[in-house]
Amino acid sequence: METAAFIDEVATRLVDYLESKDPNERVNPSRSLASMRRTLDLQLPLEGHGMDAVLDDLDAFIANSVKTHRPEFMNPLWGGLTLPALAGEIVASMTNNSMYTYELSPIATVIEQTVVKRMCEMVGFPDGFGTFTTGGSNGNMLGMLCAREHLISGSTKNGFDGRSTVIFVSAEAHYSVLMAANVIGIGHQNIIKVQCDEHGRMDPDRLQEEIAFARQEGMRPLCIVATAATTVRGAYDDLEALSDIAHREGLWLHVDAAWGGTCLFSNRHRTLMDGVDKADSVCWDAHKMMGVPLICSAFLVKKPEVLRRLCDHTNVAHYLFHADAELDDLGRYSLQCARRNDALKLWLDWRARGDAGWARMVDERMADADHLQQNIEDHPSLEMMSSRMWTNVCFRYTVDDDDVDLNDLNTDLRNRLIQEGSFMVSRSNIGDDVVLRMIVANQNLDRDTLDRFLARVVHHGQEILRGLPAA
Ligand SMILES: Cc1ncc(COP(=O)(O)O)c(C=O)c1O
């Protein structure tokens, strides 16, 4: 098949996918995993099947994928798709530049520098810099590693004994901090989970006590990881209070703003992150609220030289790095060697919308979440399960009957939504309670979908109470 004909075929599939308005289309595939293994030919052949088969394989893939662009997809902290960002993703793959050196990715380097510097300005690091990473998990790890390099100078080169080194995080922090504790060599048990207040924010007084206790026990406090906003409840830690403690105690403050960093665009909501300028590092996922396709995540640091030291590979990679481009080779600020160009898609979307477009998006998402919350509060069979700061709406179906186990009911309810392919929403826990965690982030979400969603939740809740089996 000719290149143009093949690309046309692929483009037709893209358009069909994006423009599908079929209200009956499922958000997730109906086939079970077992049936998929049984019925689809996914084996790698000895002799190739040729280009036509590639198109058939693409059709099978699309048909059996979760439709994350549909408004009914509201499970994780991302969803929907915008055209500029999709175009950036495609062209980044096509040009296939790798971000390690300026020589091999000239314009991509300048674009990444532009985006990183702008994000640094937004968090209040005027002289800061950073890098794109493989996600917020990786950004949290870089924050912890920078803390290590900063406080235990030379540990990047000399190694360190992590046994008594401790890091303080919110009890509701994302699990990536545990994964990072393993990688940086301190171990899960040296992550100290600080109790939260009733809204899910790290309690500064408890933090202060935990630090004092750790010092008393002969531990070495290294860093505080604050969260803006948390994964389940969308709670923003009080960054002013935590930065005061960090400065007083001489600790690094990393802010995990993977989910909530986008509030900084909005005049109305940016106060959620007041004090972020006093932190040392921040991670911020553009693939979450900003809707840029996975992966698009920035790690930002106030003092670029710390990241530079952390990523220093001396001059062993003489086949890539030379002194003449020392200041512009982004591979000197990353732990990766080959690295995708993830900045292009964000840059294109940002250029298309401007700061004002992102601000409108944040305000609209928050207003949609307010709308959802209001409808939940107004409904006698629904209840909010947490206060709200961001667009996480944690709620459940409820009934005034002690014989009904609400955890079982809501688990069943959520399974029915998935089974019928109508909506995808997360099942989470707050304390001992099972909640439906609804996220307003999908770029294609609208009020009609939110209303349909609640109606379906109520429908299933009623059917379960009546003892009716799933359809
Ligand atoms: C608060 C928070 N931090 C970090 C992460 C990890 O981000 P990523 O999935 O980009 O690694 C998540 C993911 O949901 C998150 O909610």
Side-chain angles (χ1 to χ4, degrees):
M1 195 181 285
E2 296 291 327
T3 304
F6 182 77
I7 297 291
D8 276 349
E9 287 286 347
V10 175
T12 303
R13 283 161 176 78
L14 292 182
V15 174
D16 287 350
Y17 181 85
L18 293 174
E19 294 205 327
S20 162
K21 298 262 182 325
D22 178 0
N24 298 319
E25 190 186 22
R26 294 177 59 97
V27 64
N28 58 339
S30 56
R31 270 200 186 93
S32 68
L33 213 57
S35 135
M36 212 175 280
R37 288 206 179 97
R38 217 174 35 247
T39 55
L40 295 179
D41 171 18
L42 303 176
Q43 296 308 312
L44 297 170
L46 277 178
E47 292 292 339
H49 293 161
M51 290 295 270
D52 287 339
V54 171
L55 296 172
D56 293 340
D57 286 347
L58 281 179
D59 289 337
F61 181 81
I62 293 168
N64 290 287
S65 291
V66 170
K67 305 295 181 297
T68 62
H69 69 302
R70 285 196 66 94
E72 295 86 359
F73 180 74
M74 34 184 87
N75 186 332
L77 308 178
W78 50 272
L81 196 56
T82 63
L83 291 180
L86 173 64
E89 180 72 20
I90 293 169
V91 172
S93 292
M94 180 187 77
T95 48
N96 206 25
N97 285 189
S98 175
M99 299 306 302
Y100 30 45
T101 61
Y102 170 75
E103 186 176 271
L104 290 169
S105 52
I107 186 167
T109 297
V110 184
I111 286 175
E112 180 166 318
Q113 288 168 332
T114 304
V115 175
V116 166
K117 285 191 171 151
R118 182 80 186 91
M119 292 173 97
C120 279
E121 278 168 22
M122 290 187 65
V123 300
F125 296 171
D127 302 318
F129 196 52
T131 183
F132 275 73
T133 69
T134 59
S137 304
N138 199 255
N140 286 339
M141 185 192 76
L142 276 180
M144 287 153 76
L145 280 172
C146 281
R148 198 192 73 182
E149 175 54 31
H150 184 63
L151 270 87
I152 309 172
S153 184
S155 57
T156 296
K157 296 280 186 296
N158 307 327
F160 87 124
D161 174 1
R163 270 178 303 179
S164 58
T165 304
V166 288
I167 290 181
F168 303 88
V169 307
S170 144
E172 302 198 13
H174 187 254
Y175 75 91
S176 55
V177 294
L178 288 179
M179 304 294 101
N182 171 18
V183 177
I184 77 168
I186 69 168
H188 292 195
Q189 69 182 19
N190 285 342
I191 290 289
I192 308 228
K193 293 189 173 172
V194 180
Q195 195 176 315
C196 292
D197 65 15
E198 75 270 28
H199 305 290
R201 296 174 299 200
M202 195 196 305
D203 182 336
D205 292 336
R206 295 306 292 263
L207 171 64
Q208 191 68 74
E209 284 164 24
E210 293 285 7
I211 295 171
F213 181 71
R215 290 203 197 280
Q216 227 174 49
E217 293 293 300
M219 309 275 198
R220 176 170 48 182
L222 190 67
C223 125
I224 301 167
V225 177
T227 313
T230 56
T231 311
V232 175
R233 298 213 252 173
Y236 282 79
D237 287 339
D238 180 344
L239 300 180
E240 294 282 7
L242 300 192
S243 61
D244 281 351
I245 296 175
H247 293 169
R248 209 164 45 236
E249 297 283 347
L251 302 181
W252 185 275
L253 177 63
H254 171 74
V255 179
D256 173 358
W259 167 221
T262 308
C263 75
L264 291 171
F265 282 104
S266 160
N267 285 336
R268 205 172 308 158
H269 301 295
R270 76 159 64 99
T271 51
L272 288 165
M273 282 180 67
D274 276 355
V276 64
D277 54 314
K278 296 176 191 145
D280 298 290
S281 58
V282 172
C283 75
W284 175 357
D285 279 359
H287 64 234
K288 291 193 162 70
M289 182 58 104
M290 293 170 87
V292 176
L294 301 164
I295 295 290
C296 191
S297 177
F299 171 75
L300 312 169
V301 62
K302 185 178 265 166
K303 293 184 180 148
E305 61 275 14
V306 181
L307 180 61
R308 176 70 189 255
R309 275 206 315 275
L310 176 72
C311 300
D312 179 38
H313 30 74
T314 59
N315 56 1
V316 292
H318 44 79
Y319 35 85
L320 274 177
F321 297 98
H322 306 289
D324 48 348
E326 182 137 7
L327 294 178
D328 285 314
D329 284 346
L330 298 182
R332 296 185 188 275
Y333 293 89
S334 172
L335 293 178
Q336 293 173 244
C337 177
R339 184 163 62 85
R340 280 175 51 85
N341 170 8
D342 286 328
L344 175 64
K345 52 195 172 185
L346 173 56
W347 179 77
L348 286 171
D349 216 356
W350 203 324
R351 301 251 304 169
R353 295 172 190 255
D355 291 1
W358 291 123
R360 271 194 301 278
M361 182 203 74
V362 171
D363 292 347
E364 281 164 17
R365 294 281 101 87
M366 283 291 260
D368 286 349
D370 291 345
H371 168 84
L372 185 68
Q373 177 177 353
Q374 190 62 55
N375 286 346
I376 290 168
E377 286 172 347
D378 289 346
H379 199 289
S381 302
L382 302 173
E383 65 177 330
M384 289 291 289
M385 295 299 286
S386 174
S387 57
R388 246 196 67 227
M389 295 179 84
W390 192 221
T391 68
N392 308 44
V393 183
C394 294
F395 74 106
R396 69 177 176 183
Y397 188 89
T398 186
V399 62
D400 199 7
D401 179 347
D402 289 344
D403 290 337
V404 175
D405 183 326
L406 290 176
N407 284 353
D408 287 349
L409 186 153
N410 282 278
T411 302
D412 186 9
L413 193 161
R414 192 245 180 197
N415 289 346
R416 289 179 185 219
L417 294 170
I418 302 277
Q419 246 168 30
E420 70 184 2
S422 56
F423 293 93
M424 291 189 87
V425 63
S426 161
R427 190 191 88 198
S428 308
N429 295 340
I430 296 182
D432 293 333
D433 295 322
V434 167
V435 304
L436 303 174
R437 188 205 61 177
M438 159 70 202
I439 293 294
V440 182
N442 187 324
Q443 305 284 305
N444 299 327
L445 196 55
D446 53 24
R447 299 241 170 141
D448 171 58
T449 312
L450 292 175
D451 295 345
R452 281 193 294 116
F453 168 62
L454 279 195
R456 206 65 198 153
V457 166
V458 170
H459 164 84
H460 284 304
Q462 288 169 345
E463 291 223 324
I464 293 167
L465 284 180
R466 275 196 235 118
L468 296 173

